[in-house]
Amino acid sequence: MNKKDTILLDHGAGGKVSHAMFSELILPLFDNELLAKQNDGAVFEVPPGRMAFSTDSYTVDPLFFPGGDIGELAVNGTVNDVAMCGAIPLYISVGLIIEEGMQVVDLKRILQSMARAAQKADVRIVTGDTKVVPRGKVDKIFINTSGIGSIPTGVHVSGDGAQPGDKVIVSGTIADHGVTILSEREGLKFDSDVKSDSAPLNHMVKGMLESGYPVHVLRDPTRGGLGTTLNEIAGQSTVGIRLFEDRLPVRGPVRGICELLGFDPLYLANEGKLIAIVPGADADNVLDIIRRDAFGKDAVIIGEVTEQDPGRVVLETFIGGTRIVEMLTGEQLPRIC
Amino acid sequence: MNLTYNQVFKDPEISKALVARIREKNTRPLRLMEVCGTHTMAIFRYGIRSVLPETITLLSGPGCPVCVIAQKDIDAYVMLARRPDVILTTFGDLMKVPGSVSSLAGEKAKGADVRMVYSIFDALAIAKENPDKAVVFCAVGFETTIPTIAGAVLTAQTQGIDNFSIYSANKLTPPALAALMKTAGVEIDGFILPGHVAVITGLDAFYPIFEKYRIPSVVTGFEPMDILNAVLKLVEQNESKIPRLVNAYPRAVADAGNPKARAIMDQVFETADALWRGIGHIPDSGMVLRESFYKFDAAKKFELSMPDTREPAGCDCGRILMGLKRPDQCRLYKKNCTPMHPVGPCMVSSEGACAAFYKYSG
C-alpha cells in the first residue's frame, strides 16, 4: 500500500483489496504465527486455572496527542483491564472500524503504535477484523480490543475485597491523560509539558502478585478518574475510603490547568495508573514493589479503608476539613467564570 | 505563568491557625453570605464548613451567572439553537440548564449546531470560518466576563464580522445585593464579596450598599486562606460591632478596580432592568448592547417565537440564592432534582449552591 493512499470502502469489503491491506500492512506489524495462520479465530493452548477476559472500545479525539495515540491506548487499556483482574495478559484481539477517506499514513502510524505497545506489554495480537464505513459514519477510526489472560493460582483480586485497615495506593500522578486530551481537543495552548500517561501496567501487577503479598483490590482509574473508581470500590466492598488531599500526586501544570478551567483532578481520566488496596501491614512493601516498576516511580499511599461511612469516599482537605467525594455524574463542563 | 503559585494560599499551617483564631473570637451565631459561585465551590471543595464552628452558617448568594439566569433567556437560547441558520456558541455550564421545553444539550443531541467555547473569541473565530451562518454567543456573565464580551463585540465591529451576534443575559452584582437587602426575611451578618468581580469594579462599587446597610463586607480571593481570612475579618467586625468594607484581596483588587475594562463595558453596553431567577426584576441590574451595536444583538436580529415560560414547579432556587433556604430544605433536592436530572439551575452549574451541596455533602 502506498503511503499517500487513502482508505476506501474496498479496504473493508473482504476482497482482494482487503487481503492486500492485511498482508501488506497489518500482518508484518503484528507479526506472530497465530495471526499468520489467517483462520477465522486464533487457536491456542491455555494454562491451567482461571482466566480473565475483558473488552473495551476506543473512540478518542484527537487520534494523536502528547504522550500517545489511539493505538497505544487501545492496547494498553485492555492489557490493563485484564491485569486489574489479577491476571497475566496473553492475547489480544483488534477490531478496526475505519472511516472512508482516512489517510493510510495515519492508519499505519496507529498500527505501528499498537504493535509497539503489544511488544512492550508482552502480549500478542492474534485475531482481528477490519471494517470501513462511509464518510461521517465514524470519527476517523474506532478501535475495539479484547484481551485474555491467566490468573496465577491463589490470586483473588476483586472490587469487593477492600477491608477496614487496608491502605490505598495510587501508582503515580493523576489526571495527566484527562488534562492532555481536554487541552488538545479544545485547542487550548498551554505553555506546559503535560502529556498522557498511557502505559502498560501488567508488569507492575505481575511483580505485586509474584511477591506473595495479598492484594485485595486492583483497579485502573480511567474514565471518571480516581474519585469515581474509589466510589465504585467503596460501594462494592461496603466500606468507607478516606483520602488525604495533601498526599494526592498531581503534577503542578496539571493542577494549574485544572484550576484555570474549573476541573477536579479527582475526576479526570488516567491511562497508566492503578489503585492497589492492600492490608495496612503490607502497604509499604507493596509500595516498594510498585515503585520499582518503570511506571510506578511516583507511587504513594493516598488513603485508607475504614469501617465508617460505608459506600462513601471522604477526603481530608489541605486545611484539615473533610468533604465527600461523590461519583462523577456527567461530563465535567468548563465554567463561565 | 507560574501554575503552582496558588499553592502558597493553601498552606495547611496558616489555614489551621486562621481556623483557631475564628474559633477563639467567635461568640455568637453568624449568617455569612458568599455572593460568588466560585466561592461556594471553593468552600465545599476545601471542606471549609467542616472546620468552622457550628455557630457560623455560610449561605450561597446570587453570584453564579448560570443560577440566576431567567427561564426566558434559556428558552431564547433554545429557540436560537433550533434555527438551521444559526451556530449557537456557549460556555459549558449553560448546556444542561433546562428551559421550559428543552436544554441546549437536548437540542445538540437532536442535531442543532451548539458549540461549547472557552472564550467568546473562539465564537468570533467560528463566525469568521462560517460566513454563511449566523454565529450567536450566549452572553451570560457578571462584571468579570462582560468586558471581554464587549471587547469581542468591538473586534467584530472593527473587522466587519457581521454574522456574529450576542444574546445578552449579562448581569451586575451590586444591584443584586441591594435587592437582596430589601427582601423581607433576609438576615445576613456579613458578605464575602466576589474577588473576581471586584478586580473590575473595585471596592468602590460596593460602598453605596455598604453605607446604606452597614453590613460587614470583605472582598476576598478563592484559596482556602483567602476565604478563612475573610471569615475571620467578618467575625471580628461582628464582635466589635464596627462594620467595615475591607479589601482582603489586594494581590488582585485595586480600590478603583480596572477603569479601562469598565470603559470598554460602558462603550458597548448600557444598563437595563433584568430578570433574575427566583428574585424577579431588578432595576439597572442587566447590561444590554447600546443602540450603535444593535447589529450585533441577536435579540434584535432574530424574531423568536417563544414558548410560554414555565418555571419548574416546586424549585426553590430563588429562595436558596437569597439565603432564605438551604439546598436540602428544597423539596425537590435529591428526589426529583439531582445533577443527573437537574430541575433548577442551581443543580446544573458546578458552582451552583445545590450542585455543590449535592456533590460535597453527599
Side-chain angles (χ1 to χ4, degrees), chain A residues 186 259 317 322-324 335, chain B residues 10 45-46 50 118 351:
Chain A
E186 304 301 337
E259 289 202 359
T317 66
T322 53
R323 68 159 156 109
I324 304 276
R335 63 174 186 227
Chain B
K10 290 188 177 71
R45 187 152 167 199
Y46 297 117
S50 68
Y118 286 83
E351 307 201 338

Side-chain angles (χ1 to χ4, degrees), chain A residues 7-19 21 100 132:
Chain A
I7 297 293
L8 308 173
L9 288 172
D10 294 342
H11 286 107
K16 266 192 175 172
V17 184
S18 296
H19 277 103
M21 179 160 84
E100 169 193 26
V132 180

Side-chain angles (χ1 to χ4, degrees), chain B residues 73-84 86 88 101-102 104 107 303-307:
Chain B
D73 290 326
I74 294 291
D75 289 341
Y77 293 148
V78 166
M79 291 305 135
L80 282 165
R82 284 185 178 176
R83 292 182 64 112
V86 164
L88 193 72
V101 289
S102 173
L104 293 181
E107 293 305 306
E303 251 187 58
L304 301 172
S305 64
M306 299 282 286

Side-chain angles (χ1 to χ4, degrees), chain A:
Chain A
M1 285 179 85
N2 197 314
K3 267 190 168 181
K4 284 181 190 154
D5 286 350
T6 53
I7 297 293
L8 308 173
L9 288 172
D10 294 342
H11 286 107
K16 266 192 175 172
V17 184
S18 296
H19 277 103
M21 179 160 84
F22 178 78
S23 53
E24 289 171 31
L25 189 63
I26 298 177
L27 187 57
L29 283 170
F30 296 167
D31 186 29
N32 66 69
E33 63 209 32
L34 290 178
L35 186 65
K37 287 205 164 85
Q38 300 191 39
N39 287 327
D40 277 351
V43 178
F44 45 77
E45 299 286 329
V46 290
R50 295 184 305 150
M51 308 288 288
F53 181 36
S54 182
T55 188
D56 209 338
S57 299
Y58 299 82
T59 61
V60 66
D61 168 40
L63 298 179
F64 305 98
F65 45 82
D69 59 46
I70 190 171
E72 184 183 341
L73 218 55
V75 172
N76 286 342
T78 289
V79 161
N80 291 347
D81 282 347
V82 173
M84 294 310 128
C85 302
I88 314 293
L90 299 168
Y91 302 114
I92 299 267
S93 75
V94 173
L96 304 171
I97 300 176
I98 308 171
E99 185 184 17
E100 169 193 26
M102 186 182 195
Q103 299 296 310
V104 167
V105 59
D106 284 342
L107 178 62
K108 192 167 180 190
R109 200 172 145 197
I110 290 165
L111 294 172
Q112 279 169 334
S113 164
M114 293 184 86
R116 241 188 339 262
Q119 196 180 15
K120 243 184 175 173
D122 199 17
V123 294
R124 260 152 293 261
I125 296 168
V126 292
T127 185
D129 176 57
T130 305
K131 293 281 187 302
V132 180
V133 296
R135 239 176 213 283
K137 297 291 177 191
V138 294
D139 188 8
K140 296 185 267 302
I141 186 169
F142 290 170
I143 303 177
N144 172 275
T145 53
S146 297
I148 189 164
S150 68
I151 301 174
T153 325
V155 170
H156 288 279
V157 174
S158 171
D160 60 7
Q163 293 169 19
D166 285 356
K167 298 277 186 204
V168 181
I169 302 172
V170 66
S171 66
T173 54
I174 59 167
D176 297 80
H177 180 75
V179 158
T180 306
I181 296 299
L182 271 172
S183 311
E184 288 291 309
R185 190 176 293 167
E186 304 301 337
L188 300 171
K189 303 273 183 289
F190 291 112
D191 183 15
S192 74
D193 57 354
V194 295
K195 59 178 204 255
S196 169
D197 58 346
S198 176
L201 300 170
N202 54 324
H203 303 308
M204 186 192 294
V205 170
K206 194 171 174 219
M208 288 160 73
L209 299 178
E210 282 175 352
S211 73
Y213 292 111
V215 176
H216 290 163
V217 183
L218 282 176
R219 291 293 284 277
D220 59 338
T222 51
R223 268 181 316 172
L226 195 68
T228 301
T229 304
L230 286 174
N231 265 288
E232 288 165 2
I233 297 169
Q236 279 177 278
S237 300
T238 330
V239 294
I241 293 177
R242 196 172 182 88
L243 297 180
F244 302 98
E245 190 170 28
D246 56 0
R247 296 197 203 160
L248 293 179
V250 186
R251 276 184 222 285
V254 170
R255 191 186 295 281
I257 291 171
C258 282
E259 289 202 359
L260 213 58
L261 298 177
F263 291 125
D264 189 339
L266 277 172
Y267 297 113
L268 290 176
N270 308 280
E271 289 294 343
K273 298 292 150 45
L274 62 76
I275 298 166
I277 298 186
V278 301
D282 303 317
D284 287 333
N285 294 323
V286 177
L287 186 65
D288 281 345
I289 294 164
I290 295 177
R291 282 183 176 163
R292 264 179 249 151
D293 187 88
F295 303 110
K297 289 192 177 67
D298 299 323
V300 276
I301 296 172
I302 54 167
E304 58 203 21
V305 179
T306 63
E307 250 174 88
Q308 298 89 40
D309 308 310
R312 285 198 177 284
V313 180
V314 178
L315 178 84
E316 196 167 295
T317 66
F318 286 114
I319 61 163
T322 53
R323 68 159 156 109
I324 304 276
V325 176
E326 269 284 337
M327 199 175 268
L328 180 65
T329 41
E331 228 181 324
Q332 291 197 88
L333 296 173
R335 63 174 186 227
I336 287 177
C337 66

